[in-house]
Amino acid sequence: MQATEHAESDPKTERTAAHGTSDTDPDAQYDFMVVSNRLPVDRCSSDEPGCEGGWRRSPGGLVTALAPMMTKTDGAWVGWHGAPDEQIQPFSHGGIDLVPVQLSTQDIELFYEGFSNATLWPLYHDVIAPPEFHRTWWDSYRKVNRRFADAVVHHASHGATVWVQDYQLQLVPKMLREARPDLKIGFFNHIPFPPPEIFAQLPWRKAIIDGLLGADLVGFQRSSDAGNFMRSARRFLGASVKQQQVHVKGSDGQTTHIARAQAFPISIDVQQISELAQNPEIIERARQIRRDLGNPKTILLGVDRLDYTKGIRHRLKAYEELLSDGKVTVEDAALIQVASPSRERVEQYRLLREEVEGTVGHINGTYDTLQNTAVRYLHHNYPIDEMVALYLAADVMLVTALRDGMNLVAKEYVTARTNNDGALVLSEFAGAADQLKQALLMNPHDIDGLKDTIMRAVNMQPAEAARRMRSMRKQILDHDVDLWSSDFLNALKEKVIRDDS
């Protein structure tokens, strides 16, 4: 896959802007395009480490998975650049051509904070919080999805492969198919897909299913998510579903194409985490973290976005009861809770932050001593090297999600445990539970069960811990993020044998 030529020489070789960032041909066309809500870069100041030309590559699994491929294929990435009401031209950063989609302040309020994160997010996470249904939000969602699709149509060469990412852009596949039937279209849903009984609540359920069925391949984290999607296609559109294939019909009743739905569980950059975990400076930083906490016998760790789906409140309740029961003491144990800021303009998230911080204050006020703190609460984002130091410092990792598409933190923790020690307490409602079967699986709604599982992790014998960790590490090392992206794209290339009988 190579970018289509528009001049006698490749414009990429002639860019001369400083710091690795430059403008690109605004009409360039590409044979491979990734489309996501955000571009893989964040704004930064020139004095910050890793900042080139005012931009820095974003952290996160998707960027890690696709950036190397984008630099090799000379493809382009379509997405919002992060600043509302700002017009910027396509540019290149770190060897990737970037096509910004402009969003207004109103778009952010209605499309992103509204329909994406106050309608779809809670609905797709089993209605842990009540979704809101507003027609103005839906109108904005359609309008913004059209803007993303138009950007792809303008820049995609004939027969290009387009990979659309996540729940914010579920209408884009059909829009692309209608405008450019020559394209090969993939879609990956990074969050769960709800069962039809829950999805039925969405007033625009038919349009969402119809939008997704514009893709040749729709990928999900778990087989159960793919199954939910196919059942919804059958129930709400009357689609013909055979095995993992949905026969999509046009207005004339004839099959236009076959959309396949499969599970492609995402993973992490195993090499990066493994190398950091063996870095002497990071190993020493992990020791320093333990010293700063008074060298407790056991450090428990939670790392989450501050989101109501992550089960942070359930985790804190279980830990507080263990302290109250005397099963753990602040002299022997400490809980570090990293809660990254998230969607702070959305009311549900503001209320969650108040509740979590109030609970932490109550626990610490009740159980802290002058020398020891029960919960070290950190409402910050941290760089990956600091996260790996925390993984190395922690004896027990707590992943108590009420519903999670995958949860890459669980995989990062396991990968960092190069000595095959430590214990992972993992919610059965996280997608990672399908792969990490040697974790201590539990139901976070069962507080007594969660407490028992935490104590089992705290008291686990080294031989059992090593056996479990070795098995989990092998699974992740054999299924890294590169395999995820290559598996999806290879499946997208596969020819479908049409059977209309």
Side-chain angles (χ1 to χ4, degrees):
M1 295 179 288
Q2 296 294 325
T4 303
E5 291 184 1
H6 291 275
E8 294 181 359
S9 60
D10 183 354
K12 261 196 177 180
T13 64
E14 298 185 357
R15 294 178 194 138
T16 57
H19 307 297
T21 301
S22 61
D23 293 336
T24 67
D25 179 358
D27 297 314
Q29 290 191 305
Y30 303 91
D31 286 344
F32 179 63
M33 302 188 75
V34 169
V35 192
S36 65
N37 180 58
R38 283 294 301 270
L39 287 174
V41 292
D42 296 317
R43 278 255 169 75
C44 59
S45 59
S46 57
D47 58 345
E48 295 179 41
C51 189
E52 295 180 351
W55 299 95
R56 175 175 50 209
R57 182 169 290 180
S58 306
L62 182 62
V63 178
T64 299
L66 299 182
M69 181 193 321
M70 299 293 288
T71 57
K72 292 174 188 173
T73 60
D74 213 9
W77 196 309
V78 177
W80 179 48
H81 62 282
D85 304 310
E86 181 184 44
Q87 298 277 337
I88 64 173
Q89 294 301 309
F91 64 102
S92 177
H93 182 272
I96 304 175
D97 282 1
L98 305 174
V99 179
V101 173
Q102 320 303 333
L103 297 182
S104 67
T105 300
Q106 186 178 57
D107 292 332
I108 300 305
E109 179 184 347
L110 303 180
F111 152 75
Y112 182 72
E113 295 172 352
F115 196 80
S116 294
N117 291 316
T119 300
L120 293 176
W121 181 268
L123 185 76
Y124 282 32
H125 287 84
D126 292 351
V127 199
I128 294 169
E132 298 180 43
F133 305 114
H134 300 291
R135 287 168 290 180
T136 53
W137 291 2
W138 167 246
D139 290 342
S140 179
Y141 186 81
R142 286 189 304 175
K143 180 183 72 173
V144 171
N145 271 242
R146 174 66 65 186
R147 205 174 301 156
F148 277 82
D150 289 346
V152 175
V153 168
H154 180 75
H155 287 280
S157 62
H158 184 81
T161 295
V162 181
W163 194 1
V164 185
Q165 306 288 332
D166 225 1
Y167 64 104
Q168 301 96 342
L169 303 174
Q170 293 175 106
L171 304 181
V172 170
K174 184 181 182 183
M175 293 174 175
L176 292 179
R177 183 163 294 278
E178 289 177 339
R180 293 285 303 275
D182 60 291
L183 299 176
K184 197 71 162 175
I185 305 165
F187 182 93
F188 189 80
N189 196 60
H190 291 260
I191 68 173
F193 196 90
E197 295 76 18
I198 289 179
F199 188 71
Q201 296 179 37
L202 186 66
W204 308 280
R205 59 199 187 189
K206 289 184 178 180
I208 292 291
I209 296 293
D210 203 28
L212 290 171
L213 287 176
D216 297 285
L217 179 63
V218 186
F220 298 92
Q221 301 281 22
R222 311 177 86 167
S223 296
S224 57
D225 296 322
N228 287 340
F229 170 72
M230 288 183 284
R231 284 191 291 274
S232 287
R234 182 188 292 117
R235 176 171 169 180
F236 302 120
L237 288 186
S240 172
V241 179
K242 300 179 182 179
Q243 296 179 326
Q244 293 181 311
Q245 300 182 349
V246 181
H247 292 240
V248 183
K249 293 180 169 54
S251 56
D252 58 1
Q254 298 298 309
T255 299
T256 59
H257 70 287
I258 294 175
R260 290 167 291 150
Q262 297 176 224
F264 297 90
I266 197 170
S267 192
I268 62 171
D269 186 343
V270 167
Q271 181 177 352
Q272 179 194 33
I273 300 295
S274 297
E275 289 177 354
L276 289 172
Q278 297 175 75
N279 182 317
E281 292 183 3
I282 293 178
I283 293 171
E284 177 53 35
R285 172 62 184 143
R287 295 192 184 105
Q288 181 64 48
I289 290 171
R290 295 193 73 96
R291 289 195 293 269
D292 290 346
L293 292 172
N295 283 315
K297 180 181 176 183
T298 304
I299 292 179
L300 302 100
L301 175 65
V303 176
D304 312 89
R305 271 192 319 104
L306 188 55
D307 191 289
Y308 49 77
T309 64
K310 301 300 183 180
I312 299 173
R313 292 172 292 192
H314 298 64
R315 183 182 313 158
L316 292 173
K317 182 175 179 62
Y319 190 65
E320 180 177 13
E321 290 190 10
L322 288 173
L323 287 166
S324 176
D325 297 343
K327 297 287 184 63
V328 297
T329 67
V330 291
E331 289 79 17
D332 288 337
L335 170 62
I336 302 174
Q337 177 59 59
V338 178
S340 303
S342 176
R343 301 168 190 163
E344 297 192 303
R345 287 167 35 128
V346 178
E347 180 65 14
Q348 287 278 359
Y349 291 80
R350 286 199 296 265
L351 294 174
L352 174 65
R353 179 178 178 181
E354 290 177 7
E355 183 178 352
V356 167
E357 293 181 352
T359 301
V360 169
H362 170 74
I363 295 172
N364 287 341
T366 303
Y367 297 101
D368 277 9
T369 68
L370 288 174
Q371 291 79 28
N372 304 101
T373 295
V375 182
R376 184 65 60 89
Y377 176 75
L378 306 166
H379 185 58
H380 306 292
N381 289 306
Y382 289 98
I384 187 63
D385 53 347
E386 183 73 357
M387 293 311 306
V388 172
L390 285 167
Y391 295 150
L392 294 178
D395 304 288
V396 178
M397 184 81 215
L398 302 177
V399 178
T400 58
L402 308 181
R403 192 76 166 94
D404 213 337
M406 177 51 60
N407 195 286
L408 296 179
V409 164
K411 294 189 174 185
E412 289 177 350
Y413 176 77
V414 168
T415 303
R417 307 302 295 195
T418 55
N419 292 331
N420 292 316
D421 55 358
L424 172 63
V425 173
L426 178 60
S427 167
E428 62 193 47
F429 303 119
D434 285 1
Q435 288 97 51
L436 305 181
K437 298 183 184 299
Q438 289 300 312
L440 296 179
L441 300 177
M442 52 76 205
N443 173 4
H445 298 283
D446 176 7
I447 299 299
D448 286 335
L450 174 55
K451 289 163 59 180
D452 290 343
T453 307
I454 291 173
M455 292 311 302
R456 186 179 168 195
V458 169
N459 297 319
M460 187 179 294
Q461 293 300 308
E464 180 184 358
R467 175 180 59 79
R468 289 175 176 273
M469 193 62 68
R470 192 177 295 112
S471 173
M472 291 189 289
R473 292 193 78 249
K474 184 179 188 307
Q475 203 285 335
I476 298 172
L477 294 175
D478 290 345
H479 299 85
D480 65 2
V481 72
D482 291 333
L483 184 65
W484 167 76
S485 56
S486 62
D487 279 353
F488 185 96
L489 292 172
N490 287 336
L492 182 57
K493 294 175 186 175
E494 290 175 4
K495 298 289 185 183
V496 177
I497 300 175
R498 180 172 291 182
D499 178 12
D500 295 328
S501 59

